[in-house]
Amino acid sequence: MKQGTTILTLDNGYHLWTNTQGEGTIHLLALHGGPGGNHEYWEDTAAQLQKQGLNVQVHMYDQLGSLYSDQPDYQNPAIADKYLTYEYFLDEVEEVRQKLGIDNFYLIGQSWGGLLVQEYAVKYGDHLKGAIISSMVDEIDEYVAHVNQCREEVLPAEEVVFMKKCEENNDYDNDRYQQDVQVLNENFVDRKQPSRLYHVKDLGGTAVYNAFQGDNEFVITGKLKDWHFRDQLPKITVPTLLTFGEHETMPLQTAETMASLIPNSKLVTTPNGGHHHMIDNPDVYYKHLADFIRQVEAGTFNNVNTIWGNSNEKLHLRR
């Protein structure tokens, strides 16, 4: 298969940027978060897996409205109604799979991408060899409760009150509010600083992010506030790895519940990892991923034991 960048033309006429790295007969399709994020934290995935002794062809792409892919005019209500939906982004994954010509493959998704993995495994699971849900829960209400707890643990009480007042007044651009958000980012999203994922300039995806999430990772005002998928988890029958950072925005208790409901699943955590734990601690993250793929390939994967990161480290908060 062609290495490097390929621009796919979708049946709807829009174009998606895709990139393939690595060699071998094992295929991994990587979905980014956001929504409205981009592929960047998957750029070294093939190299990281090779460091673990595993050759994998890794396919990544920017979803519609993100970074290098086409960015529709979402100000047009007809376009927004058609393309800013769960159904569109789920079926986009399947169309990308078809146009890349891969099957019997592994699907990994981080955050919003992990939501799409859950939905894909239910609707299109016949195409999957294995699924990897990275830092995404099945019940958004539990996420909301957890992120509020996170900021109460890190920020002074007066800052939490200030943030909530800004959110009530839709005052998200307030400098003090954004400074508090950055403190939370450095403790629960990008723990390894300076983050490789910060851009000099916003390069797109904001419209999609705002429609589903809101202004930031710590408050949900968009469509994701209604995300509930728990009753569907038993329908995920392919081998499934759930991977979470030890110190992140997503609640680990929910991850445990998910592991108990997905029939053939295993939960792992990354020590000192935040929401982007593939960046915070790549050696552990990719060892977990490589071990999972090896076990599935060998037919030895099972869910007898839940595996946790073995770090006893204390959480060092940044302020």
Side-chain angles (χ1 to χ4, degrees):
M1 181 173 290
K2 177 185 174 184
Q3 305 293 299
T5 296
T6 298
I7 304 300
L8 299 183
T9 301
L10 300 177
D11 293 345
N12 58 28
Y14 287 117
H15 302 88
L16 297 186
W17 179 96
T18 75
N19 187 277
T20 296
Q21 300 289 328
E23 298 179 349
T25 59
I26 300 172
H27 294 272
L28 175 69
L29 179 60
L31 308 179
H32 64 71
N38 62 72
H39 72 280
E40 285 184 318
Y41 42 67
W42 301 127
E43 288 179 347
D44 66 343
T45 296
Q48 292 285 355
L49 290 172
Q50 192 171 48
K51 283 173 57 178
Q52 299 291 337
L54 193 63
N55 291 323
V56 177
Q57 280 209 340
V58 178
H59 313 277
M60 66 203 88
Y61 71 99
D62 289 332
Q63 297 162 22
L64 188 67
S66 296
L67 197 56
Y68 299 136
S69 293
D70 281 354
Q71 299 187 29
D73 179 12
Y74 293 119
Q75 298 300 315
N76 183 327
I79 292 176
D81 289 346
K82 184 174 182 179
Y83 294 110
L84 292 178
T85 68
Y86 294 107
E87 293 77 15
Y88 168 74
F89 284 104
L90 172 59
D91 291 339
E92 181 185 82
V93 179
E94 172 60 7
E95 186 171 357
V96 168
R97 179 199 71 79
Q98 293 177 15
K99 293 193 181 313
L100 289 177
I102 60 175
D103 207 347
N104 198 26
F105 70 108
Y106 294 88
L107 183 66
I108 187 171
Q110 191 270 343
S111 195
W112 157 258
L115 178 155
L116 295 175
V117 170
Q118 293 175 58
E119 292 206 344
Y120 189 94
V122 170
K123 185 175 181 179
Y124 297 110
D126 289 347
H127 296 291
L128 290 179
K129 187 180 289 186
I132 304 97
I133 301 167
S134 186
S135 294
M136 186 59 198
V137 295
D138 61 328
E139 283 290 337
I140 208 66
D141 292 347
E142 295 176 18
Y143 163 81
V144 172
H146 183 255
V147 293
N148 276 282
Q149 179 183 344
C150 287
R151 64 180 177 183
E152 289 174 1
E153 292 176 356
V154 174
L155 297 173
E158 62 269 21
E159 291 305 311
V160 175
V161 170
F162 176 78
M163 289 189 77
K164 290 181 178 179
K165 183 176 180 180
C166 288
E167 290 156 10
E168 290 174 1
N169 296 329
N170 203 32
D171 186 19
Y172 296 108
D173 293 331
N174 183 289
D175 288 342
R176 179 177 163 188
Y177 180 86
Q178 290 300 324
Q179 289 172 7
D180 288 334
V181 168
Q182 183 60 20
V183 172
L184 296 173
N185 283 335
E186 292 179 9
N187 279 283
F188 301 108
V189 181
D190 297 306
R191 288 179 58 80
K192 186 175 182 179
Q193 292 291 321
S195 172
R196 291 181 358 191
L197 303 178
Y198 292 159
H199 281 167
V200 175
K201 187 180 186 301
D202 181 9
L203 296 176
T206 303
V208 184
Y209 186 82
N210 292 160
F212 283 91
Q213 174 80 15
D215 177 79
N216 61 70
E217 292 295 287
F218 302 94
V219 59
I220 298 183
T221 57
K223 297 178 180 181
L224 279 170
K225 68 180 183 294
D226 299 318
W227 164 249
H228 307 288
F229 204 68
R230 184 154 296 168
D231 63 339
Q232 298 297 306
L233 292 186
K235 298 179 182 179
I236 300 176
T237 58
V238 298
T240 301
L241 180 70
L242 298 110
T243 174
F244 285 68
E246 281 190 351
H247 311 291
E248 70 151 276
T249 55
M250 296 289 171
L252 294 181
Q253 285 186 328
T254 301
E256 291 177 346
T257 299
M258 295 172 70
S260 72
L261 292 173
I262 299 174
N264 194 16
S265 66
K266 186 174 288 186
L267 170 64
V268 297
T269 62
T270 302
N272 201 30
H275 197 47
H276 294 148
H277 50 300
M278 74 285 287
I279 299 295
D280 294 331
N281 193 345
D283 290 344
V284 173
Y285 183 92
Y286 284 106
K287 182 182 187 308
H288 287 156
L289 180 55
D291 288 347
F292 169 72
I293 294 174
R294 281 196 190 93
Q295 290 168 6
V296 175
E297 291 292 311
T300 60
F301 177 79
N302 61 70
N303 63 347
V304 172
N305 296 310
T306 296
I307 301 176
W308 290 89
N310 58 3
S311 171
N312 294 318
E313 59 139 16
K314 299 293 185 181
L315 174 60
H316 299 288
L317 302 179
R318 300 182 177 92
R319 179 64 184 165

Coordinates of all heavy atoms in Angstrom, one line a residue, residues 169-215:
N169 N -22.3 32.8 32.1 CA -22.4 34.0 31.3 C -21.9 33.9 29.9 O -21.8 34.8 29.2 CB -21.7 35.2 32.0 CG -22.3 35.5 33.4 OD1 -23.5 35.4 33.6 ND2 -21.5 36.0 34.3
N170 N -21.5 32.6 29.6 CA -20.9 32.3 28.3 C -19.7 33.2 28.0 O -19.4 33.6 26.9 CB -22.0 32.6 27.2 CG -21.6 31.8 25.9 OD1 -21.1 30.7 25.9 ND2 -22.0 32.4 24.8
D171 N -18.9 33.4 29.0 CA -17.7 34.3 29.0 C -16.4 33.4 28.9 O -15.6 33.5 29.7 CB -17.7 35.2 30.2 CG -16.5 36.2 30.1 OD1 -16.0 36.5 29.0 OD2 -16.2 36.8 31.2
Y172 N -16.3 32.6 27.9 CA -15.2 31.7 27.8 C -13.9 32.3 27.3 O -12.9 31.7 27.5 CB -15.6 30.5 26.8 CG -16.8 29.7 27.3 CD1 -18.0 29.8 26.7 CD2 -16.6 28.8 28.3 CE1 -19.1 29.0 27.1 CE2 -17.7 28.1 28.8 CZ -18.9 28.2 28.2 OH -19.9 27.4 28.6
D173 N -14.0 33.5 26.7 CA -12.8 34.1 26.2 C -12.0 34.9 27.3 O -11.0 35.5 27.1 CB -13.1 35.1 25.1 CG -13.5 34.3 23.8 OD1 -13.1 33.2 23.7 OD2 -14.3 34.9 23.1
N174 N -12.6 35.0 28.5 CA -12.0 35.7 29.6 C -10.6 35.2 29.9 O -10.4 34.0 30.0 CB -12.9 35.5 30.9 CG -12.4 36.3 32.1 OD1 -11.4 35.9 32.7 ND2 -13.2 37.3 32.5
D175 N -9.6 36.1 30.0 CA -8.2 35.7 30.1 C -8.0 34.8 31.4 O -7.3 33.8 31.4 CB -7.3 36.9 30.2 CG -7.2 37.6 28.8 OD1 -7.5 36.9 27.8 OD2 -6.7 38.7 28.8
R176 N -8.6 35.2 32.5 CA -8.4 34.5 33.8 C -9.0 33.1 33.6 O -8.5 32.1 34.1 CB -9.1 35.3 34.9 CG -9.0 34.6 36.3 CD -9.6 35.5 37.3 NE -10.0 34.7 38.6 CZ -10.6 35.3 39.6 NH1 -11.1 36.5 39.5 NH2 -10.9 34.5 40.6
Y177 N -10.2 33.0 33.0 CA -10.8 31.7 32.7 C -9.9 30.8 31.9 O -9.7 29.6 32.2 CB -12.2 31.9 32.0 CG -12.9 30.6 31.7 CD1 -13.7 30.0 32.7 CD2 -12.7 29.9 30.5 CE1 -14.4 28.9 32.4 CE2 -13.4 28.8 30.3 CZ -14.3 28.2 31.2 OH -14.9 27.1 31.0
Q178 N -9.3 31.4 30.8 CA -8.5 30.6 30.0 C -7.2 30.1 30.7 O -6.6 29.1 30.4 CB -8.1 31.3 28.7 CG -9.3 31.5 27.7 CD -9.8 30.2 27.3 OE1 -9.1 29.2 27.1 NE2 -11.2 30.1 27.1
Q179 N -6.7 31.0 31.6 CA -5.5 30.6 32.4 C -5.9 29.4 33.3 O -5.1 28.5 33.5 CB -5.1 31.8 33.3 CG -4.4 32.9 32.5 CD -4.1 34.1 33.3 OE1 -4.3 34.1 34.5 NE2 -3.7 35.2 32.6
D180 N -7.1 29.4 33.9 CA -7.5 28.2 34.7 C -7.6 27.0 33.8 O -7.3 25.9 34.3 CB -8.8 28.5 35.4 CG -8.7 29.5 36.5 OD1 -7.6 29.6 37.1 OD2 -9.7 30.2 36.8
V181 N -8.2 27.1 32.6 CA -8.3 26.0 31.7 C -6.9 25.4 31.4 O -6.7 24.2 31.4 CB -9.0 26.4 30.4 CG1 -8.9 25.3 29.4 CG2 -10.5 26.7 30.7
Q182 N -5.9 26.3 31.2 CA -4.6 25.8 30.9 C -4.0 25.0 32.1 O -3.3 24.0 31.9 CB -3.7 27.0 30.6 CG -2.3 26.6 30.2 CD -2.2 25.7 28.9 OE1 -3.2 25.6 28.2 NE2 -1.1 25.0 28.8
V183 N -4.3 25.5 33.3 CA -3.8 24.7 34.5 C -4.4 23.3 34.5 O -3.7 22.3 34.7 CB -4.2 25.4 35.8 CG1 -3.9 24.5 37.0 CG2 -3.4 26.7 35.9
L184 N -5.7 23.2 34.1 CA -6.3 21.9 34.1 C -5.8 21.1 32.9 O -5.6 19.9 33.1 CB -7.8 22.1 33.9 CG -8.6 22.8 35.1 CD1 -10.0 23.1 34.7 CD2 -8.5 22.0 36.3
N185 N -5.5 21.7 31.8 CA -4.9 21.0 30.7 C -3.6 20.4 31.0 O -3.3 19.2 30.7 CB -4.7 22.0 29.5 CG -6.0 22.3 28.7 OD1 -6.9 21.5 28.7 ND2 -6.0 23.4 28.0
E186 N -2.8 21.1 31.8 CA -1.4 20.6 32.1 C -1.5 19.5 33.2 O -0.5 18.8 33.3 CB -0.6 21.8 32.6 CG -0.2 22.7 31.5 CD 0.6 23.9 31.9 OE1 1.1 23.9 33.1 OE2 0.8 24.8 31.1
N187 N -2.6 19.4 33.9 CA -2.7 18.3 34.9 C -3.4 17.1 34.4 O -3.2 16.0 34.9 CB -3.4 18.9 36.1 CG -2.5 19.7 37.0 OD1 -1.7 19.1 37.8 ND2 -2.5 21.0 37.0
F188 N -4.4 17.3 33.4 CA -5.2 16.2 33.1 C -5.3 15.9 31.6 O -5.8 14.9 31.2 CB -6.6 16.5 33.6 CG -6.7 16.6 35.1 CD1 -6.9 17.9 35.6 CD2 -6.6 15.6 35.9 CE1 -7.0 18.1 37.0 CE2 -6.6 15.7 37.3 CZ -6.8 17.0 37.8
V189 N -4.8 16.7 30.7 CA -4.8 16.5 29.3 C -3.4 16.3 28.7 O -3.1 15.2 28.2 CB -5.5 17.7 28.5 CG1 -5.6 17.4 27.0 CG2 -6.9 17.9 29.1
D190 N -2.6 17.3 28.8 CA -1.2 17.2 28.3 C -0.3 17.4 29.5 O 0.2 18.5 29.8 CB -0.9 18.3 27.3 CG -1.8 18.2 26.0 OD1 -1.8 17.1 25.4 OD2 -2.5 19.1 25.6
R191 N 0.0 16.3 30.2 CA 0.8 16.4 31.4 C 2.3 16.6 31.0 O 3.1 17.1 31.8 CB 0.7 15.1 32.2 CG -0.7 15.0 32.9 CD -0.9 13.8 33.7 NE 0.2 13.6 34.7 CZ 0.2 14.2 35.9 NH1 -0.8 15.0 36.2 NH2 1.1 13.9 36.8
K192 N 2.7 16.1 29.9 CA 4.1 16.3 29.5 C 4.2 17.7 28.8 O 3.7 17.9 27.7 CB 4.5 15.2 28.5 CG 6.0 15.3 28.1 CD 6.4 14.1 27.2 CE 7.9 14.1 26.9 NZ 8.3 12.9 26.1
Q193 N 4.9 18.6 29.4 CA 5.0 20.0 29.0 C 6.5 20.3 28.6 O 7.4 19.8 29.2 CB 4.6 20.9 30.0 CG 3.1 20.9 30.3 CD 2.2 21.4 29.2 OE1 2.6 22.4 28.5 NE2 1.1 20.7 28.9
P194 N 6.7 21.1 27.5 CA 5.7 21.7 26.7 C 5.1 20.6 25.8 O 5.8 19.8 25.3 CB 6.4 22.8 25.9 CG 7.8 22.3 25.9 CD 8.0 21.6 27.2
S195 N 3.8 20.8 25.5 CA 3.1 19.8 24.7 C 3.5 19.9 23.3 O 3.6 21.0 22.7 CB 1.6 20.0 24.8 OG 0.9 19.1 23.9
R196 N 3.7 18.7 22.6 CA 4.0 18.7 21.2 C 2.8 19.1 20.3 O 2.9 19.4 19.1 CB 4.4 17.3 20.7 CG 5.7 16.9 21.3 CD 6.1 15.5 20.8 NE 5.1 14.8 20.0 CZ 5.2 13.5 19.7 NH1 6.2 12.8 20.2 NH2 4.3 12.9 18.9
L197 N 1.6 19.2 21.0 CA 0.4 19.3 20.2 C -0.1 20.8 20.1 O -1.2 21.0 19.5 CB -0.7 18.4 20.8 CG -0.4 16.9 20.9 CD1 -1.5 16.2 21.5 CD2 -0.1 16.4 19.5
Y198 N 0.6 21.7 20.7 CA 0.1 23.1 20.7 C 0.5 23.7 19.3 O 1.6 23.6 18.8 CB 0.8 23.9 21.8 CG 0.3 23.6 23.2 CD1 1.1 23.9 24.3 CD2 -0.9 22.9 23.4 CE1 0.7 23.6 25.6 CE2 -1.3 22.6 24.7 CZ -0.5 22.9 25.7 OH -1.0 22.6 27.0
H199 N -0.4 24.4 18.7 CA -0.2 25.0 17.4 C 0.1 26.5 17.6 O -0.3 27.1 18.5 CB -1.4 24.9 16.5 CG -1.6 23.6 15.9 ND1 -2.7 23.2 15.3 CD2 -0.7 22.5 15.8 CE1 -2.6 21.9 14.8 NE2 -1.3 21.6 15.1
V200 N 0.9 27.0 16.7 CA 1.2 28.5 16.7 C -0.1 29.2 16.4 O -0.4 30.2 16.9 CB 2.2 28.8 15.6 CG1 2.4 30.3 15.5 CG2 3.6 28.2 16.0
K201 N -0.9 28.6 15.5 CA -2.2 29.2 15.1 C -3.3 28.1 15.0 O -3.0 27.0 14.6 CB -2.1 30.0 13.8 CG -3.3 30.8 13.4 CD -3.1 31.5 12.0 CE -4.3 32.4 11.7 NZ -5.5 31.7 11.6
D202 N -4.5 28.5 15.3 CA -5.6 27.5 15.1 C -5.8 27.2 13.6 O -6.0 28.2 12.8 CB -6.9 28.1 15.7 CG -8.1 27.2 15.6 OD1 -7.9 26.0 15.2 OD2 -9.2 27.7 15.8
L203 N -5.7 26.0 13.3 CA -5.8 25.6 11.9 C -7.1 24.9 11.5 O -7.1 24.2 10.5 CB -4.6 24.7 11.5 CG -3.2 25.3 11.7 CD1 -2.1 24.3 11.4 CD2 -3.1 26.5 10.8
G204 N -8.1 25.1 12.2 CA -9.4 24.5 11.8 C -9.9 23.5 12.8 O -9.1 22.9 13.6
G205 N -11.2 23.2 12.6 CA -11.8 22.2 13.5 C -12.6 22.8 14.6 O -13.3 22.1 15.3
T206 N -12.5 24.1 14.8 CA -13.2 24.7 15.9 C -14.7 24.6 15.8 O -15.4 24.4 16.8 CB -12.8 26.2 16.0 OG1 -11.4 26.3 16.2 CG2 -13.5 26.9 17.2
A207 N -15.2 24.7 14.6 CA -16.7 24.7 14.4 C -17.2 23.3 14.8 O -18.3 23.2 15.4 CB -17.0 25.0 12.9
V208 N -16.5 22.2 14.4 CA -16.9 20.9 14.8 C -16.8 20.7 16.3 O -17.8 20.1 16.9 CB -16.1 19.8 14.1 CG1 -16.6 18.4 14.4 CG2 -16.1 20.1 12.6
Y209 N -15.7 21.1 16.9 CA -15.5 21.0 18.3 C -16.6 21.7 19.1 O -17.2 21.2 20.0 CB -14.2 21.6 18.7 CG -13.8 21.4 20.2 CD1 -13.3 20.2 20.6 CD2 -14.0 22.4 21.1 CE1 -12.9 20.0 21.9 CE2 -13.6 22.2 22.4 CZ -13.1 21.0 22.8 OH -12.7 20.8 24.2
N210 N -16.9 23.0 18.7 CA -18.0 23.8 19.4 C -19.3 23.1 19.3 O -20.1 23.1 20.2 CB -18.0 25.2 18.8 CG -16.8 26.0 19.1 OD1 -16.5 27.0 18.4 ND2 -16.0 25.6 20.1
A211 N -19.6 22.5 18.1 CA -20.9 21.9 17.9 C -21.1 20.7 18.8 O -22.2 20.5 19.3 CB -21.1 21.5 16.5
F212 N -20.1 19.9 19.1 CA -20.2 18.7 19.8 C -19.8 18.8 21.3 O -20.5 18.3 22.2 CB -19.5 17.5 19.2 CG -20.1 16.9 18.0 CD1 -19.8 17.4 16.7 CD2 -21.0 15.9 18.1 CE1 -20.4 16.9 15.6 CE2 -21.6 15.3 17.0 CZ -21.3 15.8 15.7
Q213 N -18.7 19.5 21.5 CA -18.1 19.6 22.9 C -18.5 20.9 23.5 O -19.2 20.9 24.6 CB -16.6 19.5 22.8 CG -15.9 19.7 24.2 CD -15.9 18.5 25.1 OE1 -16.3 17.4 24.7 NE2 -15.7 18.8 26.4
G214 N -18.1 22.0 22.9 CA -18.3 23.3 23.5 C -17.0 24.2 23.4 O -16.4 24.2 22.3
D215 N -16.6 24.9 24.5 CA -15.5 25.7 24.4 C -14.2 25.0 24.8 O -13.1 25.3 24.3 CB -15.6 26.9 25.3 CG -14.4 27.8 25.4 OD1 -14.2 28.6 24.4 OD2 -13.6 27.7 26.3

